Amino acid sequence: MTRRNVRRKVMIPLTLTFLVLFAAFLYSGYAIREEKIERELAHRYEVAQSTLNEVIARRVEVMTTVGQFLADDQLSLAAMRKGDRGALYRQAAPFYARMAENAGITHLYYHTPDGHNFLRAYRPEVFGDLITRQTLRHAIKTGMPSHGLELGDLGTLTLRVVTPWRDENGLLGFIEIGTEIETLLSALRKIGGFDYVVSVQKEYLDRAKWEEGMHRLHRFSLWETFPNKVVIDSSLDIPEANLAKILNLTGRINNSGSWYEINSGDGRRFAIRKLALIEAGNRLIGDYFLLYDTTNETKVFYLFIVRVIGIGLFLSGALFIFAWRILGRTDRELTTTTQQLVDEKNAIETINLSLATEIELRRQVEVDLQLLNEQLEERVHERTAKLEVANHEIEKNRNELASAYADLQAKQATILHQDKMACIGQLAAGVAHDINNPVGFVSHNLDLFARYFDQLAHFIALQEELIKSRGDSDLMSAWEKGQRDFKVQKVFADLAEMIEECRDGTGRITRIVQSLRSFSRQEHLQLQLTDLHHCLESTLTILRPELRDKVTVLRDYGELPQIYCYTDQINQVLMNLLLNAAQAITDTGEIHVRSWTENEQIYLSIADSGCGIPAEKLERIFTPFYTTKPIGVGTGLGLSIAYDIIVRHQGEIRVESAPGVGTTFTIRLPFDIRSQPRAPKGEAKGDTVINQRTPGADLDD
């Protein structure tokens, strides 16, 4: 090993290490600088936002007060009532001139109640056009004062306050007061010292009106300067070329995601934060650029980097010289150590010769051990065969236990279902009986009351005929006065409506009671000729309290024949599916119930707009005792029982679900199950088809 090789192997990694350290330092310096600029921009943004909101709030308060003052002016009220535009202008013009000079008010309008302009105080010759601005539309809709920033027809961004104008007779119209955004931004710059540029998209402006507005405001019209935007205000005198860089974000140096640094080309650098400019109707109309001059900070940062690099190079050079000398001394020591290693190598070779003889003896011993291992492998194969036979017996016993457990679960689910149906039937029958008797009394009394009312009406008509036939004017006048004083005709009209409403209410209660009786009727597993539409309507009637206020039921019924089925069990299936659909809807939604026939099969579909079912739960929703509800809330038997009932009717049940879209259960039943064989118990889950689209939310079963 030579001295040159040692030094090269040490000095090259050392040089690379110093280069990495310098690069890390430069990167950290730039990162710290950008973070500082980001914090400063964020602080200026927050201060600017709060200051601008405060300026707007104060200006809105002032303009609201001015609007209320104008609304209380009696001469203006009289002119508006008469529709005298000249008188109203003579009253408003001096006040507008004072407010424009002292308070920065640039717009004063008087509008009719339907939104048409009645008078512009600053342009009295233009009137009668329909105003569609959001602030006025909102004031017309709500009847309350409204305010907000809006882009005008002349391309000016204006803070507008619209105040309803009322007198003792009602709404006369609306008073609208506005001040241009330049006034607000000038106040903002005086308070916080912020520099800014405000631009508007050309697509929201009409060039002719824009140039007219700029001429009227004694400003230069720079329409052709930029391709897509025009500048409506700037706190700095920026050349057009540099202004184009700001508007188009060209010449960008750094981008931290929320701000940009731009070299203006005249020796100055600006950190810029671009904000959206949104008017009252939530329409993005332009941009608001907050400027932060970083020229001095950049010079100080670069000077600091140069100094640090110079000091680092000096220290690195000194370290290189010191290492060069130390490595020369190390080379001499390595030469001496190398000779010692050669002597030790010769001694080790002598030892290796003796070890080779010993290794040969050990190889012979390994051959003997290999023969012994082969005998052991034969014994292991024999033991493995015996274990496989034992495992087969264990697996057979386990399958028998699993089958017994599945039968036990099915029997337990059936018992719980029968107990549940018996309890619901007894409860529904008792409630129906207790409600039916008082409803019968009320209905009977309403019939008597209706007959008495008809007799009283005939009596009044006879009385009127007798009075008119006598021809006594005094009696006739007294009778007509009594009719007016006691409002006899209105009383008779209201009584007739009240009787009809009461009859309608008792009819609704009677239909609910009939639905409860039909739903609670016990059939003891006896096939009956059943109308499935009637089953659906009875179940929806029972669930009406659960569906009310949050679920809209859409019915799309086809022509269905009556079929033989276990009616109470079909009711239970519909109850479970409709209740699950209602519980899957968190706030408000729809349940779509459809029925149709196809190939001598009856189809019922129940679709909800709820949360849907995730993919990992679709395979288990029909498993007994599986539920997504908290402990103590559900038994997990609703869909399992519904599935078993449909299989008992030689049908099938399908489910389709998408997260955030909803879940659809489709039931298929044959026209006549009496001539078809019943599905074997062991093929239960084979009739279920689960269509999965995407994972979604939980199912309440």
Side-chain angles (χ1 to χ4, degrees):
M1 182 182 292
T2 65
R3 181 185 305 174
R4 180 179 178 184
N5 290 335
V6 172
R7 285 177 174 173
R8 184 173 66 248
K9 292 180 179 180
V10 174
M11 298 301 289
I12 290 177
L14 185 61
T15 303
L16 293 177
T17 302
F18 276 111
L19 291 177
V20 171
L21 290 175
F22 275 117
F25 170 76
L26 292 176
Y27 176 77
S28 301
Y30 274 100
I32 293 172
R33 175 177 174 271
E34 289 191 1
E35 184 180 357
K36 179 182 177 183
I37 294 176
E38 173 68 21
R39 288 199 303 268
E40 180 65 25
L41 277 176
H43 173 69
R44 285 173 173 261
Y45 169 72
E46 292 176 358
V47 173
Q49 283 289 95
S50 60
T51 305
L52 182 60
N53 291 336
E54 184 177 356
V55 169
I56 291 176
R58 290 180 178 177
R59 187 56 59 93
V60 168
E61 183 179 354
V62 170
M63 290 193 292
T64 301
T65 304
V66 171
Q68 191 60 48
F69 174 78
L70 292 174
D72 293 337
D73 183 62
Q74 296 300 318
L75 295 177
S76 298
L77 282 169
M80 190 66 180
R81 290 193 194 99
K82 296 177 180 178
D84 190 344
R85 187 175 291 104
L88 183 59
Y89 175 72
R90 289 191 296 274
Q91 191 68 18
F95 181 80
Y96 169 70
R98 291 195 303 272
M99 294 305 298
E101 180 180 358
N102 300 327
I105 300 299
T106 57
H107 299 76
L108 175 59
Y109 303 82
Y110 292 88
H111 303 302
T112 61
D114 60 355
H116 285 79
N117 176 257
F118 183 74
L119 174 66
R120 286 178 171 86
Y122 62 95
R123 294 181 67 191
E125 69 277 5
V126 180
F127 59 86
D129 52 321
L130 178 64
I131 306 300
T132 60
R133 289 190 290 270
Q134 184 67 24
T135 49
L136 180 58
R137 294 294 100 186
H138 184 268
I140 293 175
K141 182 178 180 180
T142 62
M144 301 294 293
S146 175
H147 69 273
L149 284 171
E150 288 188 285
L151 191 64
D153 294 336
L154 300 181
T156 57
L157 192 61
T158 307
L159 175 63
R160 303 178 185 274
V161 175
V162 180
T163 303
W165 194 8
R166 296 183 174 88
D167 63 359
E168 63 275 5
N169 296 325
L171 184 66
L172 286 176
F174 298 90
I175 299 176
E176 180 179 340
I177 302 174
T179 179
E180 294 183 9
I181 192 174
E182 288 83 353
T183 306
L184 303 177
L185 295 179
S186 298
L188 176 64
R189 188 163 187 262
K190 291 179 182 178
I191 296 174
F194 304 111
D195 290 321
Y196 57 86
V197 174
V198 182
S199 68
V200 174
Q201 297 287 346
K202 287 184 178 181
E203 61 181 295
Y204 300 118
L205 301 174
D206 181 83
R207 179 172 181 175
K209 292 184 178 180
W210 161 262
E211 292 177 346
E212 177 187 352
M214 294 300 100
H215 177 72
R216 186 177 299 159
L217 296 174
H218 305 292
R219 299 178 185 172
F220 292 105
S221 174
L222 302 178
W223 182 270
E224 299 293 344
T225 304
F226 310 109
N228 301 319
K229 303 176 182 179
V230 293
V231 176
I232 63 172
D233 192 21
S234 174
S235 63
L236 297 174
D237 187 11
I238 303 175
E240 292 183 6
N242 298 335
L243 195 60
K245 294 180 180 180
I246 296 175
L247 295 184
N248 300 319
L249 296 177
T250 58
R252 183 172 63 196
I253 297 176
N254 295 315
N255 179 6
S256 66
S258 60
W259 64 277
Y260 307 89
E261 189 172 22
I262 297 214
N263 189 345
S264 64
D266 57 357
R268 291 192 298 171
R269 299 171 69 90
F270 290 97
I272 302 175
R273 187 162 184 172
K274 179 181 176 182
L275 308 172
L277 189 61
I278 301 175
E279 65 173 352
N282 291 326
R283 185 178 61 172
L284 178 62
I285 60 173
D287 301 305
Y288 176 85
F289 299 91
L290 184 64
L291 306 181
Y292 172 45
D293 192 346
T294 61
T295 305
N296 293 331
E297 291 185 7
T298 303
K299 292 180 179 178
V300 172
F301 173 73
Y302 287 154
L303 180 61
F304 170 73
I305 293 295
V306 170
R307 289 178 178 175
V308 171
I309 291 177
I311 295 172
L313 291 175
F314 173 76
L315 294 177
S316 299
L319 181 60
F320 275 118
I321 295 173
F322 176 75
W324 186 268
R325 293 181 177 180
I326 293 297
L327 290 174
R329 185 185 305 168
T330 303
D331 281 342
R332 293 189 293 271
E333 294 177 354
L334 286 175
T335 302
T336 303
T337 304
T338 300
Q339 186 59 42
Q340 294 175 355
L341 289 174
V342 170
D343 296 339
E344 291 181 0
K345 175 184 177 184
N346 295 330
I348 291 173
E349 287 179 352
T350 303
I351 296 172
N352 287 339
L353 291 176
S354 60
L355 288 175
T357 304
E358 184 178 353
I359 289 172
E360 184 63 28
L361 295 175
R362 291 190 176 184
R363 286 179 179 175
Q364 186 62 36
V365 174
E366 288 178 355
V367 172
D368 296 338
L369 288 174
Q370 185 175 2
L371 294 175
L372 181 60
N373 287 334
E374 290 176 356
Q375 295 175 358
L376 290 174
E377 287 179 358
E378 292 179 359
R379 295 181 181 179
V380 169
H381 285 309
E382 293 176 358
R383 295 289 180 90
T384 302
K386 294 180 181 179
L387 288 175
E388 288 179 353
V389 173
N391 287 335
H392 180 72
E393 293 294 333
I394 293 173
E395 182 66 19
K396 180 179 179 181
N397 294 335
R398 190 188 67 80
N399 291 334
E400 292 177 355
L401 287 174
S403 177
Y405 179 71
D407 292 339
L408 181 60
Q409 278 191 324
K411 292 178 181 179
Q412 185 177 5
T414 302
I415 293 172
L416 289 175
H417 167 62
Q418 292 174 352
D419 290 344
K420 180 178 179 180
M421 290 300 296
C423 293
I424 292 176
Q426 291 177 1
L427 177 62
V431 171
H433 177 74
D434 291 341
I435 293 176
N436 193 46
N437 289 335
V439 169
F441 301 152
V442 174
S443 178
H444 177 70
N445 290 337
L446 283 174
D447 292 338
L448 290 177
F449 185 72
R451 290 199 298 270
Y452 293 161
F453 175 76
D454 292 339
Q455 294 175 2
L456 184 59
H458 291 139
F459 174 74
I460 294 298
L462 178 61
Q463 184 183 49
E464 179 181 2
E465 182 180 354
L466 292 174
I467 292 174
K468 290 181 178 180
S469 62
R470 288 186 56 185
D472 191 338
S473 59
D474 293 338
L475 180 59
M476 188 67 182
S477 299
W479 179 79
E480 291 178 351
K481 184 178 183 300
Q483 287 271 12
R484 290 191 301 271
D485 292 343
F486 294 107
K487 301 178 180 179
V488 174
Q489 297 298 329
K490 185 177 184 305
V491 169
F492 271 86
D494 290 346
L495 282 176
E497 291 181 2
M498 289 166 58
I499 292 173
E500 289 302 319
E501 290 176 355
C502 290
R503 282 179 169 175
D504 181 63
T506 55
R508 293 183 183 179
I509 296 174
T510 301
R511 287 193 295 273
I512 292 174
V513 170
Q514 290 174 353
S515 297
L516 282 172
R517 286 179 170 178
S518 175
F519 185 82
S520 64
R521 185 170 61 249
Q522 300 296 319
E523 298 180 1
H524 305 290
L525 297 179
Q526 183 177 2
L527 291 173
Q528 286 189 354
L529 195 61
T530 303
D531 184 354
L532 294 181
H533 287 164
H534 178 72
C535 294
L536 280 169
E537 291 302 321
S538 297
T539 306
L540 288 172
T541 302
I542 297 302
L543 292 177
R544 184 174 297 167
E546 181 73 19
L547 305 178
R548 185 184 301 135
D549 300 331
K550 78 170 187 176
V551 177
T552 300
V553 179
L554 304 177
R555 297 170 172 83
D556 185 7
Y557 292 163
E559 294 291 336
L560 297 184
Q562 292 187 350
I563 66 171
Y564 281 95
C565 65
Y566 303 108
T567 306
D568 59 334
Q569 293 186 357
I570 294 298
N571 283 338
Q572 180 66 10
V573 171
L574 298 177
M575 171 71 76
N576 288 338
L577 296 182
L578 288 170
L579 188 59
N580 281 349
Q583 293 174 348
I585 298 173
T586 304
D587 297 323
T588 58
E590 296 179 350
I591 295 178
H592 192 180
V593 182
R594 296 178 58 235
S595 65
W596 71 95
T597 60
E598 183 178 345
N599 297 328
E600 296 187 355
Q601 302 287 325
I602 293 177
Y603 291 88
L604 298 178
S605 171
I606 297 176
D608 63 73
S609 60
C611 54
I613 309 172
E616 64 273 11
K617 295 180 180 180
L618 276 176
E619 298 295 335
R620 302 182 60 192
I621 60 174
F622 293 107
T623 302
F625 304 105
Y626 174 75
T627 179
T628 60
K629 296 180 180 178
I631 296 175
V633 176
T635 63
L637 293 175
L639 290 179
S640 176
I641 291 173
Y643 170 79
D644 290 336
I645 291 173
I646 296 303
V647 170
R648 187 178 295 116
H649 286 77
Q650 285 81 51
E652 68 174 3
I653 181 169
R654 298 174 180 264
V655 57
E656 298 178 1
S657 184
V661 177
T663 303
T664 301
F665 284 90
T666 303
I667 299 172
R668 179 187 60 79
L669 295 172
F671 276 5
D672 193 347
I673 68 173
R674 295 175 297 175
S675 60
Q676 300 185 21
R678 184 170 176 178
K681 183 68 174 181
E683 300 177 358
K685 298 307 177 187
D687 292 336
T688 302
V689 178
I690 299 176
N691 295 329
Q692 172 186 345
R693 294 202 287 268
T694 52
D698 290 343
L699 170 73
D700 289 332
D701 53 344

